[in-house]
Amino acid sequence: MKVTETSLSGCLILEPEVHQDTRGFFMESFNSKSFFELTGVHANFVQDNHSQSEKGVLRGLHYQKSSPQGKLVRVSRGSVFDVAVDIRFESPTFGSWVGMELSEQNKLQLWIPEGFAHGFVVTSEIADFQYKCTNYYFPEDEASIHYLDPDINILWPDLDKVLVSSKDSHAKSFRNLLPQ
């Protein structure tokens, strides 16, 4: 597995070793020992999630306030534009974002540490999005930042139509995160 640092401290791109022949391919999508050796991150994953969405569905920017989740994300079918936003107050990249295509073709994974908001938009006709979490989902602890927040200014792909949940369309601004 190849690991590449992003512009956000701790947020990493993982490129698995893919063995492909005429029958198809094989890849190890996660190995705890290798993950630690390559990243230095001792992640204790407690929950796996899988979502399926149609083209233009945008989910995010989600985070948990007092029980943050680290996430190892990937796409097993289709493609998405995936975004991580640093919301760690003490971080020099606080308020910065990184975005990249995750797809069944490139098989890349993104490690998003605790202390980040996360979201994605589906760019293929359909996408299966899978992720491992370091903490359980607590609905009462969940919060969202509006995906079009001008202070973050994410450059989302140009899509004809974007489908967003009511919760995400009414998400708060990034400025609401700042201590008052």
Side-chain angles (χ1 to χ4, degrees):
M1 183 171 291
K2 179 181 169 189
V3 177
T4 306
E5 293 185 23
T6 69
S7 58
L8 304 180
S9 176
C11 195
L12 306 169
I13 300 168
L14 287 81
E15 184 178 349
E17 188 174 321
V18 180
H19 305 278
Q20 193 157 357
D21 62 24
T22 57
R23 300 168 297 161
F25 76 89
F26 171 84
M27 70 178 216
E28 191 173 76
S29 59
F30 179 75
N31 177 304
S32 182
K33 182 180 177 205
S34 297
F35 185 77
F36 175 71
E37 289 172 354
L38 292 169
T39 66
V41 175
H42 209 15
N44 179 28
F45 294 112
V46 298
Q47 182 174 321
D48 280 12
N49 299 323
H50 182 153
S51 72
Q52 186 178 86
S53 305
E54 297 177 4
K55 186 173 189 167
V57 169
L58 191 145
R59 299 181 186 269
L61 301 160
H62 302 151
Y63 65 98
Q64 290 191 162
K65 296 176 278 193
S66 59
S67 302
Q69 295 176 308
K71 296 177 181 176
L72 180 60
V73 302
R74 69 187 186 98
V75 171
S76 57
R77 178 169 62 157
S79 61
V80 307
F81 182 72
D82 196 74
V83 173
V85 179
D86 189 346
I87 58 172
R88 302 171 297 181
F89 293 119
E90 73 287 350
S91 172
T93 56
F94 175 72
S96 299
W97 65 275
V98 66
M100 62 179 293
E101 179 190 46
L102 300 178
S103 72
E104 68 180 296
Q105 284 79 29
N106 68 25
K107 297 176 180 46
L108 296 176
Q109 299 178 39
L110 185 62
W111 164 246
I112 304 166
E114 295 175 354
F116 282 72
H118 173 253
F120 65 90
V121 65
V122 177
T123 55
S124 58
E125 291 306 312
I126 197 161
D128 283 319
F129 188 87
Q130 297 173 314
Y131 55 108
K132 305 176 95 46
C133 300
T134 61
N135 206 341
Y136 297 102
Y137 172 63
F138 298 106
E140 67 281 357
D141 195 37
E142 184 180 41
S144 298
I145 300 169
H146 199 278
Y147 66 99
L148 292 177
D149 188 282
D151 291 320
I152 299 173
N153 195 29
I154 296 170
L155 302 176
W156 295 101
D158 189 22
L159 296 170
D160 293 335
K161 182 173 77 169
V162 177
L163 304 168
V164 182
S165 71
S166 175
K167 173 183 77 174
D168 290 344
S169 67
H170 293 95
K172 296 186 179 195
S173 73
F174 177 70
R175 290 179 188 218
N176 286 22
L177 280 178
L178 301 174
Q180 303 301 320

